[in-house]
Amino acid sequence: MSSDLVIVGAGIVGASVAYHAARAGAVVTLVDAGRPGSGVTADSFAWIGASGVRTGPAAALRATAVEEYRRLEAELPGLPVTWSGSLSWGTADGAPEAGPGQEIVNAATVATLEPTLRQPPEWAVWAPGDGAVDPVGVTERLVAGALAHGARIRPDAPVTAVRRDAAGRVVGVETAAGPLSGATVVLAAGVATAALGAPLGIRVPVAPSSATLFRFRAPAGLVRTVVNNRDFDLRQVGADRLLAAADSPERTLAAVRSSFRGAADVELLSTRVGVRPMPADGEPIVGPVVEVPGLYVAVLHSAVTLAPAVGRLVARELVDGAVEPVLAGCRPDRF
């Protein structure tokens, strides 16, 4: 790999790779079909938590999520992160079980944490270290950090192909605005990654997965934590705004109104359906593509949660030549 990079995709993952690589001294060009953070990144509920992570190839990576965001906060002052903790209940049958970083709390404690809740559950899982972010704001901050370290940004320039020389090695990309040169190309283009890889003869098994977000007008302070139950994932995102990840606008609105005191006048403002990239096995696909020298892939679900860690680790592999053990279970050649 070379530290002369073209990064395709200015969502939160591509922006994180660009920031960390530029900060490490790489020559970075970040290119996107739109504006930074304007794609699926904007459609994330953006709950950040390391708690409860136990299994899977990326378990160790997920367990660092909060720590990595805390690091990024220190590096990029003003990062839009809210450390509210999260409360979960009723999402599975049987008694709740606490994982790392979690504790079981009773109804009295739930009522203290969420004082407008009409009927606090008998038990809930409290994760005090969890938080949430403004995903577009974080992406913009990462891009600004990359620019400050000398990166170039090419928005509104759809990439149409990865360019190779006669020997088959990557030499850059073709865009609607003309070619861009780079000895390493990082595909961080979400669901579009598969289409960009196909002409090169590589299969990136990632498919679109819809996710629906509802925004509500609501009284200030109605919800204090990230609330997760059978009806919705819910959090306050502004003085008079709630954000919910759920399936039905009518059922979600009814559930919010019935769950919280003072919520009778909550109203639905918008519905947005995003298309998340979902790898075939649900785990991140991160690493070099052996069949195409100079090509690197970074596509994942839980991208907002994992972006700071993935960006830092990918930059280490590309700039320093490191091989990061925590990414061992995420490599493209596992398929």
Side-chain angles (χ1 to χ4, degrees):
M1 288 293 173
S2 164
S3 58
D4 178 11
L5 311 178
V6 174
I7 300 165
V8 182
I12 197 167
V13 173
S16 182
V17 174
Y19 163 69
H20 288 92
R23 190 170 187 262
V27 177
V28 173
T29 302
L30 178 63
V31 58
D32 194 274
R35 310 299 296 180
S38 64
V40 69
T41 292
D43 300 320
S44 173
F45 183 69
W47 175 5
I48 307 302
S51 54
V53 178
R54 301 171 203 174
T55 60
L61 185 65
R62 296 181 194 280
T64 67
V66 167
E67 174 188 340
E68 292 282 353
Y69 263 100
R70 294 284 190 183
R71 170 188 61 80
L72 204 59
E73 270 191 303
E75 293 176 9
L76 299 173
L79 200 72
V81 184
T82 302
W83 299 110
S84 62
S86 69
L87 275 170
S88 303
W89 68 86
T91 57
D93 296 328
E97 183 181 349
Q102 299 176 331
E103 57 185 284
I104 306 300
V105 294
N106 60 20
T109 301
V110 173
T112 299
L113 294 166
E114 287 292 353
T116 68
L117 200 59
R118 290 183 187 276
Q119 293 182 307
E122 182 180 2
W123 303 103
V125 178
W126 167 235
D130 285 7
V133 303
D134 168 3
V136 176
V138 170
T139 302
E140 292 172 343
R141 194 71 187 85
L142 286 164
V143 169
L147 284 168
H149 288 286
R152 297 177 298 167
I153 310 298
R154 298 289 183 265
D156 304 317
V159 171
T160 57
V162 175
R163 299 168 57 223
R164 291 194 287 177
D165 62 16
R169 181 168 185 85
V170 163
V171 293
V173 298
E174 293 287 349
T175 81
L180 293 172
S181 296
T184 296
V185 169
V186 179
L187 295 182
V191 293
T193 301
L196 289 168
L200 306 174
I202 65 165
R203 175 176 170 264
V204 183
V206 58
S209 173
S210 61
T212 307
L213 291 180
F214 306 117
R215 290 186 182 271
F216 299 97
R217 179 178 287 113
L222 188 70
V223 179
R224 297 188 177 183
T225 68
V226 177
V227 172
N228 163 239
N229 59 32
R230 289 185 189 274
D231 295 316
F232 44 59
D233 290 347
L234 186 70
R235 65 185 182 93
Q236 199 102 21
V237 292
D240 63 347
R241 294 288 188 272
L242 291 176
L243 182 68
D247 296 326
S248 161
E250 295 82 11
R251 285 198 301 269
T252 305
L253 179 58
V256 171
R257 287 175 172 173
S258 64
S259 296
F260 298 92
R261 290 188 299 275
D265 294 329
V266 169
E267 61 177 302
L268 178 67
L269 295 176
S270 67
T271 298
R272 179 161 172 157
V273 180
V275 181
R276 301 171 299 188
M278 186 63 70
D281 60 359
E283 299 292 342
I285 305 174
V286 182
V289 178
V290 176
E291 302 91 331
V292 183
L295 188 67
Y296 195 103
V297 172
V299 59
L300 51 147
H301 176 48
S302 299
V304 173
T305 299
L306 298 178
V310 168
R312 180 179 63 82
L313 295 170
V314 170
R316 276 184 46 78
E317 294 203 325
L318 295 177
V319 181
D320 299 337
V323 177
E324 294 292 340
V326 74
L327 295 175
C330 303
R331 301 306 191 185
D333 61 7
R334 71 181 186 272
F335 296 105

